[in-house]
Coordinates of all heavy atoms in Angstrom, one line a residue:
T256 N -0.8 2.5 -27.4 CA -1.0 1.0 -27.6 C -1.0 0.3 -26.4 O -0.4 0.7 -25.4 CB 0.2 0.6 -28.5 OG1 1.5 0.9 -27.9 CG2 0.3 1.3 -29.9
L257 N -1.6 -0.9 -26.3 CA -1.6 -1.7 -25.2 C -0.3 -2.0 -24.7 O 0.5 -2.5 -25.3 CB -2.5 -2.9 -25.4 CG -2.8 -3.8 -24.1 CD1 -3.8 -3.1 -23.2 CD2 -3.5 -5.2 -24.5
G258 N -0.1 -1.7 -23.4 CA 1.3 -1.9 -22.8 C 2.0 -0.6 -22.7 O 3.0 -0.6 -21.9
E259 N 1.7 0.4 -23.4 CA 2.4 1.7 -23.3 C 2.1 2.4 -22.0 O 1.0 2.3 -21.5 CB 2.0 2.5 -24.5 CG 2.7 3.8 -24.7 CD 2.3 4.6 -25.9 OE1 1.5 4.1 -26.6 OE2 2.7 5.8 -25.9
K260 N 3.1 2.9 -21.3 CA 2.9 3.6 -20.0 C 2.3 5.0 -20.2 O 2.4 5.7 -21.2 CB 4.2 3.6 -19.3 CG 4.8 2.3 -18.8 CD 6.0 2.6 -18.0 CE 6.5 1.1 -17.5 NZ 7.7 1.3 -16.5
V261 N 1.6 5.4 -19.1 CA 0.9 6.6 -19.0 C 1.2 7.3 -17.7 O 1.7 6.5 -16.7 CB -0.6 6.5 -19.2 CG1 -0.9 6.0 -20.6 CG2 -1.3 5.7 -18.1
Y262 N 1.0 8.6 -17.6 CA 0.9 9.2 -16.3 C -0.5 9.3 -15.8 O -1.4 9.6 -16.6 CB 1.5 10.6 -16.4 CG 3.0 10.8 -16.7 CD1 3.5 11.2 -17.8 CD2 4.0 10.4 -15.7 CE1 4.8 11.4 -18.1 CE2 5.3 10.5 -15.9 CZ 5.8 10.9 -17.2 OH 7.1 11.0 -17.5
L263 N -0.7 9.0 -14.5 CA -2.0 9.4 -13.9 C -1.8 10.6 -13.1 O -0.9 10.8 -12.3 CB -2.4 8.1 -13.0 CG -2.5 6.7 -13.5 CD1 -2.9 5.8 -12.6 CD2 -3.3 6.7 -14.9
N264 N -2.7 11.6 -13.3 CA -2.7 12.8 -12.7 C -3.9 13.0 -11.9 O -5.1 13.2 -12.4 CB -2.6 13.9 -13.8 CG -2.3 15.3 -13.3 OD1 -2.6 15.6 -12.2 ND2 -1.4 16.0 -14.0
V265 N -3.8 13.1 -10.5 CA -4.9 13.0 -9.7 C -5.0 14.2 -8.7 O -4.1 14.4 -7.8 CB -4.9 11.6 -8.8 CG1 -6.2 11.5 -8.0 CG2 -4.6 10.5 -9.8
P266 N -6.1 14.9 -8.7 CA -6.3 15.9 -7.7 C -6.7 15.3 -6.4 O -7.5 14.4 -6.3 CB -7.5 16.7 -8.2 CG -8.3 15.8 -9.1 CD -7.3 14.9 -9.7
S267 N -5.9 15.7 -5.3 CA -5.9 14.9 -4.1 C -6.2 15.6 -2.8 O -5.6 16.7 -2.6 CB -4.5 14.1 -3.9 OG -4.3 13.2 -5.0
G268 N -7.1 15.1 -2.0 CA -7.5 15.6 -0.7 C -7.2 14.6 0.4 O -6.1 14.6 1.1
N269 N -8.1 13.6 0.3 CA -8.0 12.5 1.3 C -7.2 11.2 0.6 O -7.0 10.3 1.4 CB -9.4 12.0 1.8 CG -9.4 11.7 3.2 OD1 -8.5 12.1 4.0 ND2 -10.3 10.9 3.7
F270 N -6.8 11.4 -0.5 CA -5.9 10.4 -1.3 C -6.6 9.2 -1.6 O -5.9 8.1 -2.1 CB -4.7 10.2 -0.3 CG -3.4 10.0 -1.2 CD1 -2.7 11.1 -1.7 CD2 -2.9 8.7 -1.4 CE1 -1.6 10.9 -2.4 CE2 -1.6 8.6 -2.1 CZ -1.0 9.7 -2.7
G271 N -7.9 9.0 -1.5 CA -8.5 7.8 -1.9 C -8.5 7.6 -3.5 O -8.2 6.4 -4.0
N272 N -8.7 8.7 -4.2 CA -8.6 8.6 -5.7 C -7.3 8.2 -6.1 O -7.1 7.3 -7.0 CB -9.0 10.0 -6.3 CG -9.4 9.9 -7.7 OD1 -9.2 8.9 -8.3 ND2 -9.8 11.1 -8.2
A273 N -6.2 8.8 -5.5 CA -4.9 8.3 -5.8 C -4.5 7.0 -5.4 O -3.7 6.3 -6.1 CB -3.8 9.3 -5.2
L274 N -5.1 6.6 -4.3 CA -4.8 5.2 -3.8 C -5.3 4.2 -4.8 O -4.8 3.1 -5.1 CB -5.4 4.9 -2.5 CG -5.2 3.5 -1.8 CD1 -3.7 3.3 -1.5 CD2 -6.1 3.5 -0.5
G275 N -6.5 4.4 -5.3 CA -7.1 3.5 -6.4 C -6.2 3.4 -7.5 O -6.0 2.3 -8.2
G276 N -5.5 4.5 -7.9 CA -4.6 4.5 -9.1 C -3.3 3.7 -8.6 O -2.8 3.0 -9.5
Y277 N -2.9 3.8 -7.4 CA -1.7 3.1 -7.0 C -2.0 1.6 -7.0 O -1.2 0.8 -7.5 CB -1.4 3.6 -5.5 CG -0.4 2.8 -4.7 CD1 1.1 3.0 -5.1 CD2 -0.8 1.8 -3.9 CE1 2.0 2.3 -4.4 CE2 0.3 1.0 -3.2 CZ 1.6 1.3 -3.5 OH 2.5 0.5 -2.8
Y278 N -3.1 1.3 -6.5 CA -3.5 -0.2 -6.5 C -3.5 -0.7 -8.0 O -3.1 -1.9 -8.3 CB -4.8 -0.5 -5.8 CG -4.6 -0.5 -4.2 CD1 -5.7 0.1 -3.5 CD2 -3.5 -1.0 -3.7 CE1 -5.6 0.0 -2.1 CE2 -3.4 -1.0 -2.3 CZ -4.4 -0.5 -1.5 OH -4.2 -0.5 -0.1
A279 N -4.2 0.1 -8.9 CA -4.2 -0.3 -10.3 C -2.8 -0.5 -10.9 O -2.5 -1.6 -11.5 CB -5.0 0.7 -11.1
Y280 N -1.8 0.3 -10.5 CA -0.5 0.3 -10.9 C 0.1 -1.0 -10.3 O 0.7 -1.8 -11.0 CB 0.3 1.4 -10.5 CG 1.7 1.3 -10.2 CD1 2.6 1.2 -11.4 CD2 2.2 1.3 -8.9 CE1 4.0 1.1 -11.2 CE2 3.5 1.1 -8.7 CZ 4.5 1.1 -9.9 OH 5.8 0.9 -9.7
K281 N -0.1 -1.2 -9.0 CA 0.6 -2.4 -8.4 C 0.0 -3.7 -9.0 O 0.5 -4.8 -9.0 CB 0.2 -2.4 -6.8 CG 1.0 -1.3 -6.1 CD 2.5 -1.6 -6.1 CE 3.0 -2.8 -5.3 NZ 2.9 -2.7 -3.9
M282 N -1.2 -3.6 -9.4 CA -1.9 -4.8 -10.0 C -1.5 -5.1 -11.5 O -2.0 -6.1 -12.1 CB -3.4 -4.8 -9.9 CG -3.9 -4.9 -8.4 SD -5.7 -5.0 -8.3 CE -6.2 -3.4 -8.8
G283 N -0.9 -4.0 -12.1 CA -0.4 -4.4 -13.5 C -0.7 -3.4 -14.5 O -0.3 -3.5 -15.7
L284 N -1.4 -2.2 -14.1 CA -1.7 -1.2 -15.1 C -0.4 -0.6 -15.5 O 0.5 -0.2 -14.6 CB -2.6 -0.1 -14.4 CG -3.1 0.9 -15.4 CD1 -4.2 0.2 -16.4 CD2 -3.9 2.0 -14.7
P285 N -0.1 -0.3 -16.7 CA 1.2 0.3 -17.2 C 1.2 1.8 -16.8 O 0.8 2.5 -17.6 CB 1.1 0.1 -18.7 CG 0.3 -1.1 -19.0 CD -0.9 -0.9 -18.0
V286 N 1.8 2.1 -15.8 CA 1.8 3.5 -15.3 C 3.3 3.9 -15.1 O 4.1 3.2 -14.4 CB 1.1 3.7 -14.0 CG1 1.3 5.0 -13.4 CG2 -0.4 3.4 -14.1
E287 N 3.6 5.1 -15.7 CA 5.0 5.5 -15.5 C 5.2 6.1 -14.1 O 6.1 5.9 -13.4 CB 5.4 6.6 -16.6 CG 6.7 7.2 -16.4 CD 8.0 6.3 -16.7 OE1 7.7 5.2 -17.3 OE2 9.0 6.6 -16.4
Q288 N 4.1 6.9 -13.7 CA 4.2 7.7 -12.4 C 2.9 8.2 -12.1 O 2.1 8.5 -13.1 CB 5.2 8.8 -12.4 CG 5.7 9.2 -11.1 CD 7.0 10.2 -11.1 OE1 7.0 11.0 -12.0 NE2 7.8 10.0 -10.1
I289 N 2.5 8.4 -10.8 CA 1.3 9.1 -10.4 C 1.6 10.4 -9.9 O 2.5 10.6 -9.0 CB 0.7 8.2 -9.3 CG1 0.3 6.8 -9.8 CG2 -0.8 8.9 -8.9 CD1 -0.2 5.8 -8.7
H290 N 0.9 11.3 -10.6 CA 1.2 12.7 -10.3 C 0.0 13.3 -9.3 O -1.1 13.2 -9.7 CB 1.3 13.6 -11.5 CG 2.6 13.2 -12.2 ND1 2.8 13.6 -13.6 CD2 3.7 12.6 -11.9 CE1 4.0 13.3 -14.0 NE2 4.6 12.6 -13.1
I291 N 0.5 13.8 -8.2 CA -0.5 14.3 -7.2 C -0.6 15.8 -7.3 O 0.4 16.6 -7.3 CB -0.1 13.9 -5.8 CG1 0.1 12.3 -5.7 CG2 -1.0 14.4 -4.8 CD1 -1.2 11.6 -6.0
A292 N -1.9 16.3 -7.4 CA -2.1 17.7 -7.5 C -2.8 18.1 -6.3 O -3.8 17.5 -5.8 CB -3.1 18.0 -8.8
S293 N -2.2 19.1 -5.6 CA -2.8 19.7 -4.4 C -3.1 21.2 -4.7 O -2.7 21.7 -5.7 CB -1.7 19.7 -3.4 OG -1.3 18.4 -2.9
N294 N -4.0 21.8 -3.7 CA -4.1 23.1 -3.7 C -3.2 23.8 -2.7 O -2.2 23.2 -2.4 CB -5.6 23.5 -3.6 CG -6.1 23.0 -2.2 OD1 -5.4 22.8 -1.3 ND2 -7.4 23.0 -2.1
Q295 N -3.5 24.9 -2.2 CA -2.6 25.6 -1.4 C -2.5 24.9 0.0 O -1.5 25.2 0.8 CB -2.9 27.1 -1.1 CG -2.6 27.9 -2.3 CD -3.4 29.3 -2.5 OE1 -4.3 29.3 -3.2 NE2 -2.9 30.2 -1.9
N296 N -3.4 24.1 0.3 CA -3.3 23.1 1.4 C -2.3 22.0 1.0 O -2.6 20.9 0.8 CB -4.5 22.6 1.9 CG -5.4 23.8 2.4 OD1 -5.1 24.3 3.5 ND2 -6.5 24.1 1.7
N297 N -1.0 22.3 0.8 CA -0.1 21.5 0.0 C 0.8 20.6 1.0 O 1.9 20.3 0.6 CB 0.9 22.4 -0.8 CG 1.7 23.3 0.1 OD1 1.3 23.6 1.2 ND2 2.7 23.8 -0.5
V298 N 0.1 19.9 1.9 CA 0.8 19.0 2.8 C 1.3 17.8 2.0 O 2.4 17.3 2.3 CB -0.1 18.5 3.9 CG1 0.6 17.4 4.7 CG2 -0.3 19.7 4.8
L299 N 0.5 17.3 1.1 CA 0.8 16.1 0.3 C 2.0 16.4 -0.7 O 2.9 15.6 -0.8 CB -0.3 15.7 -0.6 CG -1.5 15.0 0.2 CD1 -2.7 14.8 -0.7 CD2 -1.1 13.7 0.7
T300 N 2.0 17.7 -1.2 CA 3.2 18.0 -2.1 C 4.5 18.0 -1.3 O 5.5 17.4 -1.8 CB 2.9 19.3 -2.8 OG1 1.8 19.3 -3.6 CG2 4.1 19.8 -3.7
R301 N 4.5 18.6 -0.2 CA 5.7 18.7 0.7 C 6.1 17.3 1.1 O 7.3 17.0 1.1 CB 5.5 19.6 1.8 CG 5.4 21.1 1.4 CD 5.1 22.0 2.5 NE 5.1 23.4 2.1 CZ 4.8 24.4 2.9 NH1 4.6 24.2 4.3 NH2 4.8 25.6 2.5
F302 N 5.0 16.4 1.4 CA 5.4 15.1 1.8 C 6.1 14.3 0.7 O 7.2 13.6 1.0 CB 4.1 14.4 2.3 CG 4.3 12.9 2.5 CD1 5.1 12.4 3.5 CD2 3.7 12.0 1.6 CE1 5.3 11.1 3.7 CE2 3.8 10.6 1.8 CZ 4.6 10.0 2.8
I303 N 5.6 14.3 -0.5 CA 6.1 13.6 -1.6 C 7.5 14.3 -2.0 O 8.4 13.5 -2.4 CB 5.2 13.6 -2.7 CG1 4.0 12.8 -2.4 CG2 5.9 13.0 -4.1 CD1 2.9 12.9 -3.3
E304 N 7.7 15.5 -1.8 CA 9.0 16.1 -2.1 C 10.0 15.9 -1.1 O 11.3 15.8 -1.4 CB 8.8 17.6 -2.3 CG 8.0 18.1 -3.5 CD 7.8 19.6 -3.6 OE1 8.0 20.3 -2.7 OE2 7.5 20.0 -4.8
T305 N 9.7 16.0 0.2 CA 10.6 15.9 1.3 C 10.6 14.7 2.2 O 11.5 14.4 3.0 CB 10.5 17.2 2.2 OG1 9.2 17.0 2.9 CG2 10.5 18.4 1.4
G306 N 9.5 13.9 2.2 CA 9.2 12.9 3.1 C 8.8 13.3 4.4 O 8.7 12.4 5.4
C307 N 8.6 14.5 4.6 CA 8.1 15.0 5.9 C 6.5 15.4 5.9 O 6.2 16.2 5.0 CB 8.8 16.3 6.3 SG 8.4 16.8 8.1
Y308 N 5.7 14.6 6.5 CA 4.3 14.9 6.7 C 4.2 15.8 8.0 O 4.3 15.4 9.0 CB 3.5 13.6 6.9 CG 2.1 13.8 6.3 CD1 1.6 13.3 5.2 CD2 1.2 14.6 7.2 CE1 0.3 13.6 4.7 CE2 0.0 14.7 6.8 CZ -0.4 14.2 5.5 OH -1.8 14.5 5.1
D309 N 3.9 17.1 7.7 CA 4.1 18.1 8.8 C 2.8 18.8 8.9 O 2.5 19.6 8.0 CB 5.3 19.0 8.4 CG 5.7 19.8 9.7 OD1 5.0 19.8 10.7 OD2 6.8 20.4 9.6
L310 N 2.2 18.7 10.0 CA 1.0 19.5 10.4 C 1.2 20.5 11.4 O 0.3 21.4 11.8 CB -0.2 18.5 10.9 CG -0.6 17.5 9.9 CD1 -1.6 16.6 10.6 CD2 -1.0 17.9 8.6
R311 N 2.3 20.8 11.8 CA 2.7 21.7 12.8 C 2.4 23.2 12.3 O 2.9 23.5 11.3 CB 4.1 21.6 13.3 CG 4.5 20.2 14.0 CD 6.0 20.0 14.3 NE 6.7 19.9 13.1 CZ 7.9 19.6 13.0 NH1 8.7 19.5 14.1 NH2 8.5 19.5 11.8
D312 N 1.8 23.9 13.1 CA 1.5 25.2 12.8 C 0.8 25.4 11.5 O 0.9 26.5 10.8 CB 2.8 26.1 12.8 CG 3.5 26.1 14.1 OD1 2.8 26.2 15.2 OD2 4.7 26.0 14.1

Side-chain angles (χ1 to χ4, degrees):
T256 58
L257 188 65
E259 187 175 350
K260 290 186 177 181
V261 297
Y262 291 112
L263 304 184
N264 191 321
V265 188
S267 297
N269 217 21
F270 216 75
N272 198 353
L274 180 67
Y277 172 80
Y278 283 142
Y280 156 76
K281 290 294 294 283
M282 292 187 293
L284 189 68
V286 172
E287 177 68 15
Q288 202 171 36
I289 301 172
H290 291 163
I291 303 303
S293 298
N294 61 19
Q295 287 161 263
N296 295 288
N297 58 340
V298 172
L299 287 171
T300 299
R301 292 182 178 177
F302 169 66
I303 291 168
E304 289 177 343
T305 68
C307 185
Y308 204 105
D309 194 349
L310 303 179
R311 293 172 296 185
D312 302 317

